[in-house]
Amino acid sequence: MPAYKINAPFRAEQVGSLLRPKELLEARAKKAAGEITPEELRAVEDKWIAQAAKEQCECGLKSVTDGEFRRAYFHLDFLEHLEGVRVAHHNLKSDNKADYKPPTLEVVGKIRHVKDIQVDDYKFLAPHVKAPFVAKAAIPSPTMLHFRGGRQAISEEAYPNLDDFFTDLAKAYQVEIKNLYDAGCRYLQLDDTNLAYLCDPKMREAAAQRGEDVDALPRNYAKLINASLEGVPEDMVVGVHLCRGNFRSNFFASGGYEPVAKVLFQELNVDTYFLEWDDERSGDFAPLRFLPPNKTVVLGLVSSKHANMETKESLKARIAEAAKYAPLEQLCLSPQCGFSSTAEGNEVTPADQWAKLKLCIEVAEEVWSDA
């Protein structure tokens, strides 16, 4: 008899990151200054993660995350724990967002999974999430270790052949995902900017100038993600979120999904897709015509970047437009991204955040009878 699979994604969803409480940000700064210990910082994180889980359940969200409260960046704080990976810091954070250059990742040796990364965090969250709610773990997509730096950011001494790099990276992910499953995780989200960046003509050109074959990259990335998910049990739901950038309410890419749609929907072995369609940057819904009957798309129609509230009528109209290309029963609703992909958070208030999430729930309940 096959294992029971949770009924995710839910009609009203979220991407995962939440605005950090002031006390948590202050504790992180004290830890950086050496004024408190890592254990003291974790105790503050524990307190606010428990509170965030409670608030998500009270709000009515059926998928519950830790808000990414233990991270400064959605990707760096995970990937830096793989052996062979180093974070390169370019400059201190500037108050001028236009001047800020974020840290990047470098591969300086062989990639290996040498310790659990997200497992203890999931184990802390899970007891705070009782049925019918489900704890969701969000980790960066393995592509995050390649696209921004490409060949130049990967040691030729460690990896004269890039195929070996992709193989080792996938093996490291397989171990982490297996250990998450063994810890009880049945809902996993991979956060990926790069498949979305490959929809942007300017970013495609920049990647081509780095020597990348931008037409082959979507398929190569699908193979990497598929290899990373090899061996995932049938009762684990896996989704991928495509993001166009989310630093302090800024985006970094534009363009519809057409350049990657066929590979995304038909070659990537995931159950669901969290896709951004919050404004005209994201193109139209036509790429949904490639969606197979056994997969789901969570429509990211509610902006997490600004406080302006969408109307129920406008959201319902956009859902109806999407349903012209994919069946309504294969669609769900969420904000287009998280509210705090980095610790700084987007330029919205906690009240805005919860109002937007509640709006998703209310619209979902009015559109789908099974919400």
Side-chain angles (χ1 to χ4, degrees), residues 88-101:
H89 293 275
H90 302 286
N91 61 287
L92 296 176
K93 298 182 181 182
S94 168
D95 289 336
N96 185 341
K97 290 181 284 187
D99 294 339
Y100 174 57
K101 186 179 180 183

Side-chain angles (χ1 to χ4, degrees), residues 257-297:
Y257 295 105
E258 200 67 33
V260 302
K262 197 166 185 179
V263 169
L264 179 71
F265 291 132
Q266 299 186 357
E267 297 185 27
L268 191 58
N269 297 333
V270 298
D271 301 295
T272 192
Y273 305 87
F274 294 78
L275 302 181
E276 298 185 329
W277 268 297
D278 53 315
D279 60 26
E280 64 279 355
R281 288 182 300 106
S282 304
D284 60 23
F285 295 113
L288 287 173
R289 70 190 185 278
F290 293 113
L291 184 67
N294 63 332
K295 296 188 176 187
T296 308
V297 167

Side-chain angles (χ1 to χ4, degrees), residues 14 16-21 24 44-61 63-69 124-125 128-129 353-354 357:
Q14 63 161 321
S17 65
L18 299 171
L19 295 171
R20 312 302 200 258
L24 180 53
V44 177
E45 293 168 345
D46 287 351
K47 168 188 170 182
W48 286 107
I49 288 169
Q51 177 64 22
K54 179 175 180 287
E55 290 179 328
Q56 288 170 79
C57 293
E58 290 176 347
C59 176
L61 284 170
S63 66
V64 177
T65 74
D66 65 3
E68 300 180 14
F69 282 2
F124 177 82
L125 173 65
H128 296 279
V129 183
Q353 169 184 270
W354 293 112
L357 291 169

Side-chain angles (χ1 to χ4, degrees), residues 4-257:
Y4 171 72
K5 193 165 190 172
I6 61 172
N7 187 31
F10 302 100
R11 294 301 185 189
E13 271 285 355
Q14 63 161 321
V15 173
S17 65
L18 299 171
L19 295 171
R20 312 302 200 258
K22 182 180 178 182
E23 182 187 1
L24 180 53
L25 292 173
E26 290 173 347
R28 184 176 294 280
K30 289 179 181 178
K31 161 64 173 58
E35 297 174 11
I36 64 173
T37 66
E39 293 75 19
E40 288 172 320
L41 171 60
R42 193 167 183 91
V44 177
E45 293 168 345
D46 287 351
K47 168 188 170 182
W48 286 107
I49 288 169
Q51 177 64 22
K54 179 175 180 287
E55 290 179 328
Q56 288 170 79
C57 293
E58 290 176 347
C59 176
L61 284 170
K62 291 182 180 175
S63 66
V64 177
T65 74
D66 65 3
E68 300 180 14
F69 282 2
R70 302 193 197 276
R71 302 184 198 173
Y73 295 85
F74 82 94
H75 60 312
L76 299 181
D77 299 70
F78 179 94
L79 292 166
E80 69 179 350
H81 292 290
L82 295 173
E83 186 174 89
V85 176
R86 181 174 67 194
V87 175
H89 293 275
H90 302 286
N91 61 287
L92 296 176
K93 298 182 181 182
S94 168
D95 289 336
N96 185 341
K97 290 181 284 187
D99 294 339
Y100 174 57
K101 186 179 180 183
T104 56
L105 293 159
E106 297 175 345
V107 176
V108 296
K110 289 287 190 180
I111 300 294
R112 293 187 181 87
H113 183 282
V114 292
K115 61 180 179 180
D116 289 340
I117 304 172
Q118 196 69 25
V119 174
D120 283 346
D121 298 344
Y122 178 83
K123 286 181 176 179
F124 177 82
L125 173 65
H128 296 279
V129 183
K130 307 295 185 183
F133 305 99
V134 174
K136 179 169 73 171
I139 64 176
S141 165
T143 71
M144 299 302 300
L145 200 51
H146 176 263
F147 181 78
R148 296 188 186 189
R151 170 76 269 188
Q152 296 175 2
I154 300 170
S155 164
E156 292 199 24
E157 181 179 351
Y159 290 109
N161 185 333
L162 273 183
D163 288 344
D164 295 332
F165 160 73
F166 288 122
T167 296
D168 285 353
L169 180 55
K171 287 180 179 177
Y173 262 75
Q174 288 171 14
V175 175
E176 179 71 15
I177 292 170
K178 178 186 182 300
N179 293 351
L180 276 168
Y181 180 88
D182 290 344
C185 180
R186 296 297 182 270
Y187 195 8
L188 178 69
Q189 177 182 301
L190 303 178
D191 292 319
D192 191 302
T193 64
N194 305 316
L195 287 166
Y197 285 0
L198 286 168
C199 299
D200 186 304
K202 292 181 180 179
M203 289 204 170
R204 288 173 67 88
E205 176 60 27
Q209 290 178 0
R210 293 196 299 269
E212 300 292 346
D213 183 341
V214 293
D215 293 320
L217 266 185
R219 182 162 281 112
N220 292 339
Y221 282 165
K223 290 179 180 176
L224 170 62
I225 294 171
N226 290 346
S228 300
L229 297 173
E230 188 174 315
V232 168
E234 290 184 7
D235 60 331
M236 175 181 259
V237 175
V238 180
V240 61
H241 166 59
L242 268 60
C243 174
R244 291 176 173 82
N246 195 45
F247 173 64
R248 292 171 66 181
S249 293
N250 283 319
F251 65 87
F252 303 107
S254 298
Y257 295 105

Side-chain angles (χ1 to χ4, degrees), residues 59 302 309 339 349-362:
C59 176
V302 174
M309 285 294 290
F339 290 88
T349 68
D352 298 329
Q353 169 184 270
W354 293 112
K356 297 244 179 186
L357 291 169
K358 288 176 182 176
L359 177 63
C360 289
I361 294 167
E362 291 172 3

